[in-house]
């Protein structure tokens, strides 16, 4: 989490340097030094927001994966392949068993 916030803070600073470079203004002008923390804070807040988005997406994907695994387990038990799932075989072997039985 911290590395993303630091990266986007650095990106905000890079944007400020780029802006001043395009305008051909000096980087360390005393009147415009206040903008560096503003750009860094804006980038850091974006990184913090992005971390929350990623966490929410991972929670959704984990929930969907668990739901699919439960569905596959119920289907295999219903079709008589309970030993495959309980034996610790992976999804590829379950799919191959389903193809062999024609379902």
């Amino acid at each position: 989490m911290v590395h993303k916030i630091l990266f986007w803070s650095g990106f905000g600073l890079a944007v400020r340097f780029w802006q001043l470079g395009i305008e051909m203004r000096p980087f360390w002008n005393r009147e415009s030094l206040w903008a560096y923390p503003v750009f860094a804070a804006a980038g850091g807040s974006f990184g913090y927001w992005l971390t929350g988005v990623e966490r929410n997406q991972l929670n959704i994907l984990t929930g969907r994966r668990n739901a699919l695994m439960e569905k596959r387990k119920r289907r295999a038990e219903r079709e008589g392949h309970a030993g495959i799932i309980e034996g610790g075989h992976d999804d590829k072997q379950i799919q191959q068993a389903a193809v062999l039985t024609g379902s």
Side-chain angles (χ1 to χ4, degrees), residues 67-85:
L68 284 173
M69 293 304 289
E70 275 298 313
K71 183 177 176 183
R72 287 180 186 176
K73 184 177 179 180
R74 286 192 309 267
R75 180 178 177 199
E77 288 172 353
R78 186 177 61 236
E79 293 177 359
H81 299 292
I84 292 175
I85 293 177

Side-chain angles (χ1 to χ4, degrees), residues 29-90:
N29 188 6
R30 185 174 296 274
E31 289 81 28
S32 64
L33 287 178
W34 61 270
Y36 290 104
V38 171
F39 277 75
S45 63
F46 178 74
Y48 181 73
W49 173 79
L50 200 59
T51 301
V53 169
E54 181 183 22
R55 185 175 49 244
N56 290 340
Q57 287 177 345
L58 287 175
N59 288 339
I60 291 170
L61 288 175
T62 301
R64 287 184 182 174
R65 179 175 171 254
N66 291 339
L68 284 173
M69 293 304 289
E70 275 298 313
K71 183 177 176 183
R72 287 180 186 176
K73 184 177 179 180
R74 286 192 309 267
R75 180 178 177 199
E77 288 172 353
R78 186 177 61 236
E79 293 177 359
H81 299 292
I84 292 175
I85 293 177
E86 292 171 2
H89 299 285
D90 59 6

